[in-house]
Amino acid sequence: MPTFTGTVVELHRWPVKSMAGEPVDALRLDPRGAGGDRTHALWDTDRDRRLTVRQAPGMLQWRARYPDQDGAALDPATPPEPEVTGPDGTVYAWSDSALPLALSQHLGIPMRLTRRIEGQQDLPNSVLLTTQASLATLADELHAPLDLRRFRTNVHVALDAPAFSEEQGWQGGRVQIGDAELTTLHACVRCVIPTRDPDTTSKDPLILRHLAREHGTIFGINLAPLGPAMIRVGDAVEVRTPG
């Protein structure tokens, strides 16, 4: 059973699904995932569906954060409401009655705000892990720098593993990060969201076409936390693969 080791280099949480999020130095985990991650979302009331960057790229111009609770303090069982900053710098509380109207006017879509403390990830009860080797290799292949935020990862690690090994051979293995134990689920099949620049929202379809042609449209791997734990930037990482 091959084993890889390394270190956590970045942690991220995304308080509102498809909005810009925030880097943190720690994350509290439980079997639902990372505390406060994607616990809030926008709902398109006309089409009766949850909104994402696919329907409203302008969501990336809005930033959500938890200003009063750092990663170590935020309990997954009791996430607070986020603070949301618009493209013009206006700051709103999630409960501010002016926020839905401001979002609707900017995005051109009537909406309501939703909250689920268990998270609203595409894959429930999970966190997303990416590796520096895969990010660097993809950037080299595209001959351009790549912002990690395009991939909306939770845990970014530097490992002694080959690039894209997490996408190809980790399913069914175990990952130890600090005192947290997680099981590997499956590689993350990417949609169009990585093609959007996280600052300008401009679209680069070459990224997804290249991922599809060279890497089966996958980047990163979904993990399931096995219990309550804390992970921090700098924590040791050990990946025990099933093969």
Side-chain angles (χ1 to χ4, degrees), residues 185-199:
L185 299 175
H186 53 72
C188 182
V189 179
R190 310 312 305 213
C191 62
V192 299
I193 290 178
T195 67
R196 294 285 181 180
D197 184 284
D199 292 319

Side-chain angles (χ1 to χ4, degrees), residues 30-40 50 75-79 115-126:
D30 74 5
R32 287 169 291 206
D37 188 52
R38 283 165 269 225
T39 50
H40 300 77
R50 192 170 54 198
D75 186 342
T78 57
R115 170 180 165 88
R116 293 174 56 190
I117 64 170
E118 65 270 25
Q120 299 176 75
Q121 299 91 346
D122 292 333
L123 181 66
N125 307 321
S126 69

Side-chain angles (χ1 to χ4, degrees), residues 94-106:
W94 185 253
S95 56
D96 189 334
S97 60
L99 178 58
L101 177 60
L103 285 162
S104 294
Q105 289 177 336
H106 179 249

Side-chain angles (χ1 to χ4, degrees), residues 205-223:
L206 175 62
I207 295 173
L208 192 61
R209 289 201 297 265
H210 180 85
L211 272 176
R213 183 176 65 250
E214 301 296 333
H215 302 291
T217 325
I218 56 178
F219 186 90
I221 190 163
N222 297 294
L223 310 178

Side-chain angles (χ1 to χ4, degrees), residues 18-34:
S18 279
M19 285 189 184
E22 57 182 343
V24 290
D25 57 10
L27 284 173
R28 289 177 65 178
L29 307 179
D30 74 5
R32 287 169 291 206

Side-chain angles (χ1 to χ4, degrees), residues 60-73:
L60 290 173
Q61 296 176 301
W62 292 74
R63 179 191 175 203
R65 66 190 190 106
Y66 299 114
D68 300 323
Q69 292 198 20
D70 63 20

